[in-house]
Amino acid sequence: MSSAPVPQLELLIPWDLPTEQILSAADQLRIGRALQGLLQALRAEDIAACEQLEQALADLGEIESAPATVDSTKTALRQPQVEDFDRYFEAVHVQTLDPAGCLIRSLILTYQRALQLWLAGEFDTDQIATQKQGFISYSQLLLRVFQLPNYESE
């Protein structure tokens, strides 16, 4: 039995993260649907959440990106330290014309991997609840950054 390759976590360069971004109507629909799917998955039972995460990724669609060349880290970290971090977490820093899609995809994949770990092991339910709340808060922050409605708060 062969398993599908695990998608690599793609991260935007931190100083390229948007603090506010106006989306086109099509992107509002695509990004909004994926974020709402993630929020629903965060509130669902774990098995149902797995299916909802797959749907959220499908709603988001493919995100084209290219590895970013980071000559300067703009932090106290040196380039080899950043590369060690990326290797350890199986992540790659990228550039993309779709930063919103890239952010949402990374968030969905991160929650998906956390959920897989929780289902495969014994984890403290309070810690899981705290981590889920962190994902919810970050999702709600992105709704605000992209000026999208939050249907859960209405």
Side-chain angles (χ1 to χ4, degrees):
M1 177 171 115
S2 67
S3 61
V6 176
Q8 190 166 29
L9 184 60
E10 295 183 342
L11 304 174
L12 295 174
I13 299 170
W15 47 90
D16 287 345
L17 291 171
T19 56
E20 182 178 58
Q21 184 172 349
I22 307 288
L23 300 175
S24 68
D27 282 343
Q28 285 179 357
L29 183 63
R30 179 178 64 97
I31 298 296
R33 189 177 298 152
L35 264 174
Q36 293 299 335
L38 172 60
L39 285 166
Q40 288 174 355
L42 283 158
R43 303 216 191 275
E45 295 295 321
D46 293 341
I47 301 302
C50 292
E51 294 172 10
Q52 289 171 320
L53 292 171
E54 288 297 330
Q55 184 59 52
L57 286 169
D59 289 341
L60 194 56
E62 291 296 316
I63 309 298
E64 291 189 30
S65 64
T69 304
V70 183
D71 297 327
S72 166
T73 66
K74 296 187 182 182
T75 69
L77 297 175
R78 294 190 183 105
Q79 187 58 33
Q81 293 168 312
V82 173
E83 291 170 2
D84 286 344
F85 174 91
D86 288 353
R87 272 192 300 279
Y88 181 80
F89 287 102
E90 297 179 3
V92 61
H93 283 89
V94 298
Q95 295 174 321
T96 180
L97 296 175
D98 185 7
C102 187
L103 277 171
I104 304 311
R105 182 178 185 274
S106 295
L107 184 59
I108 293 170
L109 287 175
T110 301
Y111 178 58
Q112 187 178 50
R113 289 181 184 172
L115 183 58
Q116 289 166 348
L117 286 172
W118 299 336
L119 290 172
E122 294 181 24
F123 290 87
D124 180 271
T125 55
D126 290 337
Q127 290 176 334
I128 291 173
T130 299
Q131 290 175 346
K132 280 186 178 183
Q133 186 56 51
F135 282 108
I136 291 168
S137 296
Y138 190 57
S139 298
Q140 291 170 338
L141 168 71
L142 290 174
L143 285 170
R144 289 191 303 275
V145 166
F146 300 129
Q147 301 173 26
L148 296 169
N150 184 355
Y151 297 112
E152 291 189 337
S153 66
E154 295 176 354

